[in-house]
Amino acid sequence: MLCLSVLACALWGSASAEAALFARLPGEMAERRSNPVAALLPSGKVLVASGYNPSGQDLKTAELFDPATGSFEKLPAELKFGREESASATLRDGKVLLAGSGAAGSLKTAELFNPATNAFESIAAELTVERDGAAAALLPSGKVLIMGGGNSGKDLTSAELYDPEKRTFEAISSQMLIARYSPFAATLPDGRVLVGGGSNLTSTPEYLKSTELFNPATNSFEAFAGSGHEMTENRGEVGVATLPSGKVLIAGGYNSASKSLASAELFNPQSGVFERLPGELAEPRDGSAGALLPDGRVLLAGGYNESKGAEYLKTAEVMNVTAPVVTTAPASSVGAANAILNGTALSDTSSSAYFQYGTSTDYGATTARQTVGASLGPLSVTDALAGLSPGSAYHYRVVAENGGGPSFGADQTFTTARAAASGPRRAPLLTGATQSHARWREGSKLARLSKKSAPVGTTFAFRLDQAATTTFAFAQQTGGRRVNGKCVAQRRSNRHKHACKRTVLRGTLSLSGHAGNNKVSFQGRISRSKKLRPGSYTLLITATNAAGQRSVAQRLTFTIVP
């Protein structure tokens, strides 16, 4: 299956695939409206105002849509003028501008809806030209771009700016690349305005697929760089909304076949490409009003349905949020007890993301949730694990959720390293064993590590390549009798056997040696209560590390004199 967009992939591939992309609301507007305006207010409610009804009357009425209840409530306040196909934009202070269009056709008047009072306010200043069916978009400066429309049967290319601080309108010298009646306009993430569609009486076909850009940095209209950048279908009088990701939804409308449309598409500003959505509107809508809701859904209200015998609509529908598209990536920095999990999430609305992990595909453990914003491209999701079992295989996958439900990445695995053996991996190397004196007198001090030679006794010196416990074994040769091939101690029973010499261990002591040169000052004592007697001795020095590995013994001989 080929997925053309995030919405398409999520719709067909997520856990929420059963939900329709577009769904009709159970609640209806207070009256039928074609070509109204819709604007999200600071309260989270949506203003739906003006338009015209089956009697051809331009409406002065307005109502509020509450996303929490899905219901519409008619407002007691009315517009100063009846308007349809007027230009509209929400200002930074939350007020809504409505400009042009009216019962007499094109108008120069404009007014504001104040959400603090739920009332409409007049604007003394007027548009620079009369406009019917113009489009408007809020610019990064806070000003409003108003462009196109019609005047006395002529489609316009002119544009102007509304300054909310001065409450004035000012014409700009730049003209649209093509005259457009009832085009759409949407502000993109980089501040430019996408302008497209609409109709042109002098073109064939009359309804347009073409688009262009307004650049607020230069106050000019520009063509897209390169070829393409056209909508998938000729459209005028569409419902439009910019999604949190920056993509633009273009829904419904009217085309050159004199047909109300149920199709919809998305514009991706990153690629400059329009993508047809797989789902269609709940019913065809020509002249609906679109508004982004706080939860990321899009409201499409009112319009006209040619297929129902030219019915003016009271109905509304929403484009549902679709589940994110997620990818589980290979783990990194895998150690004996730790690892970093990686993945990506792509969503048109904000999502929460986390990882499931465990020693089987049942997982059983999850990482903390983290917020992943809406975006045009995949965003990284990472988390660090600790306390894992060494030498074990783990399964994991990334999960992301939004209002459209959860999406699960593919299962991946990693194996932790085996625990390192405690201590060194080889036996110590003990070398260079020497003594300062081979004949010496005993003293009273215990053996100790020292860097100085003792005046009494001797000093043993040696070198270690690693820290190790060093053992000194003191042995003497003494007389014995040979019995059954062995030299044993002389006793009354064997005193007539052949004499022999045997080695007797007289004592040991152990000291903690360090890597490098070591010196042991020794005066004959091997403990506080025991000392060697005068005589000749053989000393064996060995070193044992923490892993129990023992060095080759070094041998010295010395004599203790009285």
Side-chain angles (χ1 to χ4, degrees):
M1 177 189 71
L2 175 64
C3 289
L4 298 177
S5 67
V6 174
L7 287 170
C9 290
L11 177 67
W12 296 107
S14 76
S16 58
E18 297 81 1
L21 181 56
F22 294 93
R24 181 170 168 172
L25 292 170
E28 294 186 341
M29 292 187 293
E31 57 186 305
R32 300 179 187 276
R33 300 177 188 273
S34 179
N35 295 92
V37 300
L40 179 64
L41 304 177
S43 64
K45 294 183 178 181
V46 177
L47 171 71
V48 181
S50 69
Y52 60 95
N53 64 15
S55 301
Q57 178 184 12
D58 291 341
L59 299 172
K60 299 172 69 175
T61 60
E63 49 195 292
L64 293 179
F65 171 70
D66 186 347
T69 62
S71 61
F72 293 86
E73 178 187 0
K74 190 169 182 178
L75 290 173
E78 292 190 338
L79 281 73
K80 303 299 180 183
F81 291 87
R83 300 180 189 275
E84 47 85 12
E85 296 188 274
S86 60
S88 174
T90 302
L91 308 180
R92 285 180 174 175
D93 62 5
K95 292 182 179 180
V96 181
L97 173 71
L98 297 93
S101 299
S106 53
L107 289 178
K108 296 180 72 175
T109 62
E111 57 190 287
L112 295 171
F113 175 76
N114 188 339
T117 60
N118 277 352
F120 293 88
E121 304 170 352
S122 297
I123 298 176
E126 293 186 333
L127 296 167
T128 60
V129 296
E130 293 180 350
R131 295 181 189 273
D132 174 28
L138 182 68
L139 302 178
S141 64
K143 294 182 179 181
V144 177
L145 172 69
I146 301 170
M147 75 218 86
N151 183 328
S152 302
K154 179 182 178 182
D155 298 328
L156 301 174
T157 58
S158 64
E160 55 191 287
L161 296 177
Y162 171 68
D163 187 333
E165 294 185 2
K166 299 177 181 178
R167 287 198 174 193
T168 57
F169 295 89
E170 178 186 359
I172 60 175
S173 58
S174 179
Q175 304 276 307
M176 290 195 296
L177 305 183
I178 184 171
R180 299 177 188 273
Y181 181 86
S182 284
F184 68 84
T187 305
L188 302 178
D190 63 4
R192 294 183 300 171
V193 178
L194 173 68
V195 184
S199 63
N200 185 310
L201 293 174
T202 63
S203 69
T204 303
E206 178 182 343
Y207 287 86
L208 306 172
K209 296 173 68 175
S210 65
T211 58
E212 54 191 281
L213 293 169
F214 176 78
N215 189 340
T218 59
N219 267 4
S220 62
F221 291 90
E222 305 170 348
F224 276 98
S227 60
H229 314 294
E230 287 191 335
M231 291 188 291
T232 63
E233 197 162 354
N234 302 72
R235 300 177 191 270
E237 303 181 23
V238 301
V240 63
T242 302
L243 305 182
S245 65
K247 291 184 179 181
V248 179
L249 170 71
I250 301 105
Y254 198 76
N255 69 8
S256 300
S258 299
K259 178 183 178 183
S260 299
L261 300 173
S263 62
E265 52 192 290
L266 283 178
F267 172 72
N268 186 332
Q270 193 172 67
S271 62
V273 173
F274 291 84
E275 305 168 350
R276 178 77 173 259
L277 290 175
E280 291 195 335
L281 277 64
E283 61 181 313
R285 292 181 188 273
D286 159 25
S288 66
L292 180 70
L293 301 179
D295 62 6
R297 295 179 300 164
V298 175
L299 173 71
L300 296 167
Y304 184 89
N305 189 344
E306 188 80 29
S307 65
K308 284 189 174 182
E311 179 180 347
Y312 291 76
L313 301 174
K314 293 176 69 176
T315 62
E317 58 187 277
V318 291
M319 185 183 77
N320 289 307
V321 175
T322 53
V325 174
V326 294
T327 302
T328 311
S332 58
S333 301
V334 179
N338 54 279
I340 295 178
L341 305 184
N342 302 298
T344 62
L346 175 60
S347 175
D348 284 319
T349 62
S350 181
S351 305
S352 65
Y354 56 95
F355 292 93
Q356 296 176 327
Y357 69 97
T359 54
S360 71
T361 51
D362 291 333
Y363 304 108
T366 61
T367 62
R369 290 176 180 260
Q370 52 187 285
T371 299
V372 179
S375 66
L376 294 171
L379 295 180
S380 175
V381 182
T382 64
D383 214 326
L385 300 182
L388 304 177
S389 299
S392 299
Y394 282 86
H395 293 259
Y396 69 100
R397 65 181 178 182
V398 66
V399 184
E401 299 181 46
N402 60 17
S407 288
F408 301 90
D411 179 76
Q412 291 245 29
T413 61
F414 65 88
T415 301
T416 54
R418 295 187 180 277
S422 59
R425 293 180 178 272
R426 57 179 178 78
L429 182 63
L430 191 154
T431 58
T434 62
Q435 55 188 336
S436 61
H437 300 91
R439 291 175 62 86
W440 43 272
R441 292 178 292 113
E442 286 186 303
S444 59
K445 293 182 179 180
L446 292 172
R448 58 188 175 87
L449 283 171
S450 173
K451 293 185 178 180
K452 296 181 180 179
S453 297
V456 175
T458 189
T459 299
F460 303 122
F462 56 92
R463 181 175 180 80
L464 288 173
D465 70 333
Q466 58 184 266
T469 299
T470 307
T471 301
F472 299 81
F474 301 95
Q476 275 187 311
Q477 289 277 306
T478 186
R481 298 293 176 176
R482 187 169 299 280
V483 178
N484 296 327
K486 295 180 180 181
C487 190
V488 299
Q490 180 176 318
R491 303 185 186 282
R492 182 184 297 272
S493 59
N494 64 14
R495 65 184 184 276
H496 299 298
K497 297 291 186 180
H498 291 289
C500 62
K501 292 289 185 180
R502 65 189 184 94
T503 300
V504 178
L505 182 65
R506 297 303 186 188
T508 63
L509 63 87
S510 295
L511 299 172
S512 297
H514 56 266
N517 294 322
N518 293 261
K519 288 186 177 181
V520 178
S521 179
F522 185 64
Q523 296 187 2
R525 287 192 172 274
I526 55 177
S527 71
R528 292 188 180 276
S529 60
K530 185 177 181 180
K531 65 179 181 178
L532 299 178
R533 294 179 178 180
S536 295
Y537 290 87
T538 297
L539 170 62
L540 293 179
I541 308 174
T542 57
T544 306
N545 63 21
Q549 297 166 309
R550 181 177 297 178
S551 71
V552 175
Q554 293 281 299
R555 182 186 298 267
L556 294 172
T557 61
F558 60 87
T559 300
I560 302 175
V561 297

